[in-house]
């Protein structure tokens, strides 16, 4: 019995010690969404779009989706958002590792225009095929004309704004 | 702009009642009926008159709206239409306040907002054909992310029952 008591007492002692070791701090209200951390070697490439945090939208950079659905009295905002996500995923997957900029989606009337900068890593024939393929499939799925407006760069370093 | 004036001229010719098309109507008598007579009847109708056509433009970016309003006014002025623009209405800020943290800490919130800026463009004293042409041109060049609502105020003659009453009053 005594041994058991001893054991319990020693355990509680350990517990009190542990409790005293544990301490809490106030909440760290750090905002980190859409921002990039500095690397030790300062060699992480950022485009202009990536270099500016979200609060710079409409000041130093603009939106990636241009449509009227989020205006006052706009229609089908959720559908537009889901379609935009789908277009981005499809395009970045079809043009695998080729888009070096963000994919800009512009809607005018019933036309969707997808713009971006492409790395000139594959030959022209393949690029033409991919353009036709993307336009055809997207316009079939979304039931409206889709156009691709691409610009090309020879080197991926051409779009790098800074290294952090 | 050249193509625009061309377009206007073409549409004006179509709508003018005393144009060469009607003068040459005799030549067209041999054509099938649906082509000649119905078309001529349509053309001989008087054109509509608009007191003003007002465009309400909505957008997220005031710079885009400003530039587009300038374009719309320039297009109107090239067609000798009296056109003005203003943006007196205050922008609407639709705000969503949510917790900053995922779970607790009610005191720390983030605000997201969707702004809608407004600009108005007004064209004064237009004929129907000019209004159609101008609106077509202006709406085709609407930039992405800008919404437009166009309101037309048409001039109409007094309905016959009012004019009859007035004439009887003046007689008695």
């Amino acid at each position: 019995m005594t041994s058991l008591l001893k054991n319990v007492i020693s355990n509680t002692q350990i517990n009190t010690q542990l409790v005293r070791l544990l301490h809490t701090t106030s909440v760290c209200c750090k905002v980190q969404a859409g921002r990039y951390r500095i690397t030790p070697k300062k060699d992480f490439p950022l485009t202009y779009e990536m270099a500016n945090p979200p609060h710079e939208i409409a000041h130093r950079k603009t939106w990636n989706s241009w449509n009227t659905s989020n205006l006052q009295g706009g229609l089908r905002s959720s559908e537009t958002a889901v379609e935009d996500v789908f277009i981005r995923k499809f395009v970045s997957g079809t043009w695998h590792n080729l888009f070096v900029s963000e994919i800009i989606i512009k809607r005018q009337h019933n036309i969707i225009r997808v713009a971006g900068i492409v790395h000139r890593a594959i030959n022209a024939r393949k690029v033409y095929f991919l353009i036709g393929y993307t336009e055809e499939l997207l316009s079939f799925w979304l039931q409206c004309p889709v156009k691709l407006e691409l610009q090309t760069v020879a080197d991926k370093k051409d779009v790098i704004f800074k290294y952090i | 702009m050249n193509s625009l004036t061309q377009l206007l001229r073409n549409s004006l010719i179509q709508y003018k009642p005393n144009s060469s098309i009607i003068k040459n109507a005799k030549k067209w008598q041999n054509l099938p009926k649906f082509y000649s007579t119905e078309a001529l009847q349509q053309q001989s109708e008087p054109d509509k008159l608009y007191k003003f056509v007002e465009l309400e433009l909505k957008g997220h970016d005031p710079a885009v709206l400003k530039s587009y309003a300038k374009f719309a006014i320039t297009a109107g002025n090239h067609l000798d239409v009296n056109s003005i623009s203003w943006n007196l209405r205050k922008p609407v800020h639709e705000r969503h306040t949510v917790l900053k943290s995922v779970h607790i800490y009610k005191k720390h919130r983030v605000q997201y907002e969707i702004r809608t800026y407004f600009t108005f463009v007004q064209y004064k004293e237009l004929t129907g054909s000019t209004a159609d042409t101008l609106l077509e041109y202006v709406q085709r060049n609407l930039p992405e992310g800008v919404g437009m609502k166009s309101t037309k105020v048409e001039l109409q003659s007094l309905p016959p029952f009012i004019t009859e009453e007035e004439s009887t009053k003046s007689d008695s």
Side-chain angles (χ1 to χ4, degrees):
Chain A
M1 188 65 202
T2 48
S3 64
L4 193 75
L5 203 68
K6 253 184 197 172
N7 207 355
V8 168
I9 288 167
S10 66
N11 267 342
T12 49
Q13 273 174 348
I14 290 167
N15 277 345
T16 49
Q17 274 171 356
L18 277 179
V19 164
R20 289 188 67 180
L21 278 174
L22 196 112
H23 87 122
T24 56
T25 57
S26 58
V27 196
C28 180
C29 283
K30 195 174 182 246
V31 184
Q32 47 188 5
R35 290 156 179 83
Y36 292 88
R37 295 243 303 264
I38 298 175
T39 51
K41 287 186 176 177
K42 303 271 168 62
D43 59 351
F44 185 72
L46 289 186
T47 61
Y48 184 77
E49 175 85 27
M50 291 154 81
N52 287 308
H55 64 259
E56 293 289 355
I57 294 173
H59 299 279
R60 271 156 59 174
K61 68 177 190 180
T62 54
W63 297 272
N64 290 336
S65 298
W66 286 84
N67 51 58
T68 54
S69 57
N70 286 321
L71 290 172
Q72 194 195 31
L75 300 169
R76 65 193 296 280
S77 56
S78 60
E79 287 93 333
T80 312
V82 170
E83 278 173 16
D84 281 4
V85 170
F86 175 73
I87 292 172
R88 291 222 166 80
K89 288 206 166 189
F90 179 76
V91 170
S92 57
T94 311
W95 299 73
H96 182 71
N97 213 4
L98 287 174
F99 265 86
V100 288
S101 71
E102 307 293 318
I103 296 163
I104 313 292
I105 298 168
K106 300 180 273 189
R107 287 155 191 268
Q108 254 179 329
H109 307 293
N110 69 337
I111 300 173
I112 300 178
R113 294 186 297 151
V114 180
I117 304 174
V118 173
H119 181 211
R120 242 178 277 151
I122 53 175
N123 58 20
R125 183 177 282 189
K126 283 183 183 170
V127 173
Y128 287 131
F129 169 75
L130 280 180
I131 289 174
Y133 176 79
T134 316
E135 285 182 353
E136 192 69 24
L137 280 181
L138 279 179
S139 51
F140 175 71
W141 283 324
L142 304 174
Q143 293 294 310
C144 63
V146 178
K147 286 181 185 171
L148 246 63
E149 291 178 344
L150 300 179
Q151 295 191 348
T152 58
V153 284
D155 194 358
K156 279 194 177 184
K157 280 182 184 170
D158 291 351
V159 291
I160 302 304
F161 177 62
K162 66 175 181 184
Y163 293 89
I164 60 167
Chain B
M1 218 63 230
N2 234 348
S3 61
L4 179 62
T5 43
Q6 185 83 34
L7 195 65
L8 180 74
R9 208 175 294 142
N10 286 344
S11 59
L12 276 180
I13 287 168
Q14 270 187 358
Y15 279 89
K16 241 187 231 171
N18 290 326
S19 66
S20 58
I21 300 169
I22 299 178
K23 282 176 195 167
N24 295 336
K26 276 188 181 176
K27 283 183 192 172
W28 291 10
Q29 278 176 351
N30 298 334
L31 289 173
K33 221 176 184 180
F34 70 91
Y35 187 72
S36 57
T37 50
E38 282 185 21
L40 279 177
Q41 277 170 3
Q42 249 186 357
Q43 281 158 8
S44 58
E45 265 179 27
D47 205 351
K48 283 178 182 172
L49 290 177
Y50 291 117
K51 200 174 181 185
F52 62 80
V53 176
E54 193 176 290
L55 312 177
E56 184 191 325
L57 305 167
K58 292 188 259 180
H60 294 304
D61 200 344
V64 173
L65 281 182
K66 194 183 168 192
S67 146
Y68 180 68
K70 195 176 178 184
F71 157 79
I73 281 183
T74 318
N77 285 338
H78 274 283
L79 296 176
D80 290 333
V81 176
N82 189 359
S83 42
I84 47 168
S85 97
W86 67 94
N87 42 7
L88 286 178
R89 193 168 159 188
K90 267 191 171 181
V92 174
H93 294 206
E94 193 189 327
R95 290 205 173 94
H96 300 276
T97 315
V98 289
L99 294 182
K100 193 171 197 175
S101 175
V102 188
H103 182 40
I104 39 178
Y105 310 118
K106 200 176 178 182
K107 278 185 183 176
H108 298 83
R109 307 280 185 119
V110 208
Q111 268 197 338
Y112 295 99
E113 70 178 29
I114 304 172
R115 293 185 187 177
T116 311
Y117 293 88
F118 295 90
T119 301
F120 294 86
V121 173
Q122 197 182 55
Y123 300 114
K124 275 180 187 168
E125 288 143 14
L126 301 157
T127 59
S129 62
T130 319
D132 286 347
T133 318
L134 189 58
L135 276 184
E136 167 102 27
Y137 181 65
V138 165
Q139 285 174 349
R140 289 237 174 219
N141 286 297
L142 195 68
E144 52 277 337
V146 174
M148 180 197 273
K149 185 174 86 184
S150 61
T151 319
K152 292 174 185 169
V153 175
E154 193 188 338
L155 287 174
Q156 285 195 330
S157 53
L158 284 174
F161 62 89
I162 293 180
T163 46
E164 277 170 19
E165 271 183 16
E166 281 191 351
S167 61
T168 50
K169 265 184 197 171
S170 60
D171 286 342
S172 62

